[in-house]
Amino acid sequence: MNFSYEILNWYAENKRVLPWRSTRNPYNIWLSEVMLQQTRVAQGLPYYEKFIKEFPTVKDMASASEERVLKLWQGLGYYSRARNMHATAKMVVNEFNGSFPNTYEGLIKLKGVGDYTASAIASICFDQAEPVVDGNVYRVLARYYGIELPINSTAGIKHFKKLAREVMNTKEIRDYNQGIMEFGAIQCAPKKPYCLHCPISENCVALAQNRVHELPIKLKKLKVKKKNFNYLIFLDSKKHTILEQRTGKGIWQNLYQFPLFESESEANINQVSKRVSENYSNIKKYEISLFNEKPIIHKLSHQHLHTKFWIIEVERNLPKAVSWKSLEEYPVPVLIADFIRSF
DNA sequence: AACGCGGGGAT
DNA sequence: ATCCCAGCGTT
């Protein structure tokens, strides 16, 4: 019994039932793959259902507004995925007559489709013999073959891709690719792998050397930056508030939020008052109160946002304001959505 | 080659 | 608190 045969065998016995496993439609597969980039199946699944319901075909997605796509994506994170996905939907409709490319080379040209996603679509939809290498595959191969190259180094990436190609099953590439990923997610899990009843434990190098918990090797972790966020929640007598769209680079691009200023240290009410007077000179009379005494710490993978929400009640009606009720129509970061809900 | 980019679940 | 998830794009 060789490696790929055991993977196929294990997959046939243990695979989960998932909606994208009962189709080879490139639109469905592409949608699921983009959603599952750096995202667990359990988290992505409800979004997949939501998107397929509102956008049954790539044409439906292409004709939607970016704002609507972002709204449906809200909470899933890595919002550039949604923007690139929408751009690709429009390109497929307008330039490819609604049909996705049917090769790795064609697919990888699409926005938001990299080596992994191109390989996944090419193999699952078109039976192309392209190996997928995601986080699960890195783990399974590193352990089974005892590879010590860091999975996030250039040499490591090349080596694992080459090894994955050597050991794949080209005849049943669809099931093999999904099988090795499923095996990594369920059986050869990061923290608690089930080595006791593993079908390939006999030849697993890491297990033989008692190094399962050490592999795969991953280079360093960057320090997370701390930032102080201050959101200004304006409220006038008609329960209108000011909402802004984030532009330029950085986090949450094109999503909406309340007026924001960052401070070097934790801000106090005097700084907020100064800020309002400077930037909103047309607002004369107002009253400031602090919504949360202790900053809310919103954790991203690379930043910790220490956030205060300042409530600013104004007497006269605000210019260019939106009603509080209409806030639910805008795509907003989870940090903002949580605040709106609790306020 | 290094970094930016979300949110959540498991340990 | 730490890790890591069906990674990609930019610099």
Side-chain angles (χ1 to χ4, degrees), chain A residues 221-229 250-251 262-264 296-307:
Chain A
K221 56 224 157 189
L222 9 46
K223 236 182 66 178
V224 300
K225 290 174 187 160
K226 176 183 171 180
K227 290 190 173 183
N228 292 292
F229 271 26
I251 59 173
E262 282 188 56
S263 49
E264 289 299 322
I296 293 166
I297 303 174
H298 188 70
K299 293 180 178 179
L300 309 180
S301 51
H302 48 297
Q303 300 176 31
H304 285 186
L305 311 176
H306 293 240
T307 309

Side-chain angles (χ1 to χ4, degrees), chain A residues 232-244 258-259 283 310-327 330 339 343:
Chain A
L232 308 180
I233 319 301
F234 290 94
L235 276 180
D236 68 14
S237 54
K238 291 165 65 182
K239 294 190 71 173
H240 280 44
T241 190
I242 299 178
L243 204 62
E244 301 174 343
F258 300 105
I283 300 175
W310 301 91
I311 315 302
I312 303 166
E313 295 179 80
V314 305
E315 263 186 16
R316 296 172 52 188
N317 290 335
L318 293 162
K320 291 190 295 186
V322 302
S323 74
W324 194 263
K325 176 128 178 43
S326 70
L327 288 182
Y330 295 87
F339 166 77
F343 182 65

